[in-house]
Amino acid sequence: MIVGYLLSGSIRQPFAFYLTYGVLRGGGCGILFNTSLSALLFFKEGKTDGLSGVLLMVLGLGSVIFSPLITHWNETLGWRGSFTGLGLLGLLLIICAWINPRSADAGKDAAPTESIVNASIPDMDTKEMLGTASFWKYIVWSIISYIIGQSFAGYAAAFGTDIGVSSATCMLFVSIFSLCNSFGRLIFGKLFELFPMRRMLAACNTLFIVGSLVLATGPWILAALLLAIGAALVGLGFGSLMVCNVSVTRTYFGTQNYAMNFSIVTLESMPASALSMIIMNAFHDGIGSYLPAFACFLALSFAALLGTRWLRPPYARHS
């Protein structure tokens, strides 16, 4: 990731920029993201959903926190200077982590100990996981749910424009969605430790349903207020999805191969993002507005909510 940033700041050819920023930087971010979540298994016995929620919230708030700094760098140093600055900042973090004294117990175990791995949950490797119906049922549920959240994340400002609110209100709309997306990860991280899995998955879809209903009402009644409430609800629902991935991967498929299994589970965002763009562009090109997408969101949310009835861990396979 750091190499990608540093090279992107000095590259001259567009194709090379795709490699440095897209491949190196993008691949590095993905590795860092999965590594951070996997490392939590070494620091806490039992459920780690709460800690995962904290980490995911911090990752989500990173864009909010660093936006003013990046804007300042772009204005004073240019975009090349911004990339170089981010690369140097990453190097500084590596140096700080390297010189930080480690505890006497650090590094003893190359994998989670038996006290950390819940013996009641069978550990599956990736091939075994891919062979279970539970995995594919969850992936379908996750793709459907992710389409809703990703559509909102990518077209929030466009919704506000179609409704007819001011550009300032649109920006407020986007900010509320982003903040609730981040805090939703923290809230659901803790809730996943307290309530059954399927109940929390259903809660995610319920937030999407209520949020979509509120937003669908917004163009006619108290538009600005309802937009804010709807954005908050959908943001909370979208924020819960990553925690769902963390909790389902650990609870359904064990912790021994968590890092690889989690990487596979999170690939659902790729088809979901593509389908989200196709759906939204189809509404805009065919009708001239994004607003009818709210009806699509409702249908998808209800379908996903019903789908939670068939989500089960694959334990019977190993009994």
Side-chain angles (χ1 to χ4, degrees):
M1 181 181 71
I2 294 173
V3 173
Y5 274 127
L6 292 175
L7 291 179
S8 296
S10 59
I11 213 72
R12 299 293 176 182
Q13 299 299 323
F15 177 74
F17 182 78
Y18 297 148
L19 292 177
T20 57
Y21 184 76
V23 178
L24 294 178
R25 177 263 179 192
C29 287
I31 294 172
L32 178 63
F33 178 77
N34 287 349
T35 302
S36 301
L37 289 170
S38 300
L40 293 179
L41 297 174
F42 294 90
F43 295 102
K44 184 177 184 294
E45 296 187 5
K47 293 185 176 181
T48 59
D49 300 319
L51 285 177
S52 297
V54 173
L55 178 59
L56 288 167
M57 181 194 69
V58 173
L59 291 171
L61 288 175
S63 58
V64 178
I65 296 171
F66 275 91
S67 288
L69 175 63
I70 302 304
T71 300
H72 175 71
W73 281 355
N74 284 335
E75 293 174 350
T76 57
L77 303 175
W79 64 270
R80 294 185 183 276
S82 296
F83 282 135
T84 303
L86 288 171
L88 294 176
L89 183 61
L91 284 175
L92 178 62
L93 292 175
I94 289 179
I95 293 172
C96 291
W98 183 265
I99 63 177
N100 183 46
R102 299 192 299 173
S103 67
D105 295 329
K108 280 187 176 181
D109 299 313
T113 61
E114 288 300 319
S115 62
I116 296 177
V117 178
N118 189 339
S120 65
I121 301 175
D123 286 307
M124 297 186 185
D125 59 29
T126 302
K127 184 177 180 180
E128 289 178 307
M129 180 184 73
L130 292 173
T132 64
S134 297
F135 169 79
W136 294 106
K137 288 178 182 178
Y138 176 74
I139 289 297
V140 171
W141 176 90
S142 186
I143 289 175
I144 294 174
S145 301
Y146 198 93
I147 287 173
I148 304 167
Q150 183 59 37
S151 297
F152 244 85
Y155 296 87
F159 285 132
T161 301
D162 282 356
I163 288 172
V165 298
S166 65
S167 58
T169 303
C170 287
M171 290 301 100
L172 177 63
F173 180 34
V174 174
S175 298
I176 292 173
F177 175 84
S178 299
L179 287 174
C180 289
N181 179 17
S182 297
F183 285 107
R185 304 174 186 191
L186 173 65
I187 295 169
F188 271 79
K190 185 59 178 178
L191 292 178
F192 263 100
E193 293 185 348
L194 302 175
F195 298 100
M197 175 75 68
R198 285 197 298 159
R199 186 176 299 179
M200 296 311 304
L201 299 180
C204 167
N205 296 131
T206 302
L207 285 170
F208 282 142
I209 291 172
V210 178
S212 297
L213 283 172
V214 171
L215 288 166
T217 311
W220 295 279
I221 304 174
L222 300 174
L225 176 61
L226 290 181
L227 274 177
I229 296 174
L233 292 173
V234 176
L236 288 171
F238 192 35
S240 73
L241 289 179
M242 189 55 69
V243 184
C244 292
N245 287 343
V246 170
S247 186
V248 167
T249 303
R250 177 186 56 78
T251 305
Y252 280 19
F253 310 112
T255 56
Q256 194 65 39
N257 302 290
Y258 175 84
M260 188 62 192
N261 290 346
F262 179 72
S263 300
I264 298 298
V265 169
T266 54
L267 288 177
E268 36 84 297
S269 62
M270 296 176 65
S273 297
L275 289 171
S276 166
M277 184 172 59
I278 292 171
I279 292 172
M280 297 305 295
N281 288 338
F283 275 113
H284 189 266
D285 294 343
I287 304 176
S289 173
Y290 293 113
L291 296 183
F294 291 132
C296 180
F297 292 165
L298 280 172
L300 290 174
S301 298
F302 275 113
L305 180 60
L306 291 174
T308 59
R309 294 173 56 87
W310 288 276
L311 292 177
R312 295 284 194 284
Y315 302 157
R317 177 187 173 101
H318 289 256
S319 59

